[in-house]
Amino acid sequence: RQGRLPDLWDIRRAQRAYDQGKELFFQKKYVEAEPFFREALRLNPGWIPPHSFLGQIFLEYHKDYMQAIHHLEIAARNPNVYLQQPALYYLTQAHAGAGHTDLAWKTWRKYFDNCAPGTDWERQAQELSAEVKATLEARTPPTDAAAKPSPPPSPAPAVSPR
């Protein structure tokens, strides 16, 4: 299967696996959802959306920051900003959890810079969890960071790609 484009049958089966994974994910059945996202990627290896869910599972359930970073970096390459933003949000947390403070700060900046003023994304950017904020503030931000405020401490909102 490597090196070839998926056929229409594989794409349809990948979509079904992805949909089943999402349904389980939103029921907080992360262990049960994970194999469906893996199957979607096996059938359609270049497909980006399953990586976002796998990244969140590795971040929030397994606490495996390196695997989370792997999947969320792929998800953050999505050209659709609506799908890219949640990946950047969680990628910030994964980098912070892994102790990659500079990368966490840069990822948060990209997330925040993509937020239109007055949107939920801007509000969510300002509501990064206290743990991530503390990690980011422990370092001196890049000089261009003065253009936008740091987020106030508060719990992270539930953000899910659709």
Side-chain angles (χ1 to χ4, degrees):
R1 288 211 175 287
Q2 294 288 20
R4 73 169 184 83
L5 294 174
D7 61 26
L8 185 58
W9 178 246
D10 286 343
I11 291 170
R12 286 181 179 163
R13 289 185 4 215
Q15 181 68 53
R16 276 198 300 275
Y18 175 74
D19 290 342
Q20 288 175 297
K22 278 184 13 181
E23 184 175 322
L24 291 165
F25 181 91
F26 290 123
Q27 294 173 19
K28 299 186 184 324
K29 296 179 180 179
Y30 304 120
V31 172
E32 293 91 342
E34 186 177 338
F36 287 101
F37 295 125
R38 290 188 182 281
E39 177 67 2
L41 288 175
R42 186 188 69 76
L43 293 165
N44 191 354
W47 197 21
I48 294 175
H51 286 287
S52 188
F53 285 100
L54 284 170
Q56 289 179 64
I57 289 169
F58 279 107
L59 173 66
E60 296 177 349
Y61 180 78
H62 296 300
K63 304 295 187 212
D64 184 337
Y65 300 115
M66 297 312 293
Q67 280 295 314
I69 289 167
H70 166 75
H71 288 288
L72 292 167
E73 282 180 342
I74 293 169
R77 291 185 215 134
N78 196 320
N80 180 333
V81 172
Y82 182 75
L83 297 176
Q84 182 188 78
Q85 285 297 94
L88 290 171
Y89 180 88
Y90 289 111
L91 184 56
T92 298
Q93 293 180 348
H95 279 307
H100 304 156
T101 306
D102 290 336
L103 289 172
W105 179 256
K106 289 176 185 174
T107 305
W108 180 83
R109 293 295 307 161
K110 183 174 181 182
Y111 175 85
F112 195 74
D113 288 345
N114 286 340
C115 296
T119 64
D120 283 344
W121 287 346
E122 182 184 48
R123 180 186 52 77
Q124 290 165 351
Q126 293 193 15
E127 293 177 353
L128 279 176
S129 71
E131 176 187 332
V132 172
K133 182 182 179 294
T135 302
L136 296 177
E137 287 184 341
R139 308 271 301 161
T140 304
T143 56
D144 68 335
K148 295 223 180 179
S150 294
S154 62
V159 177
S160 303
R162 302 218 187 259

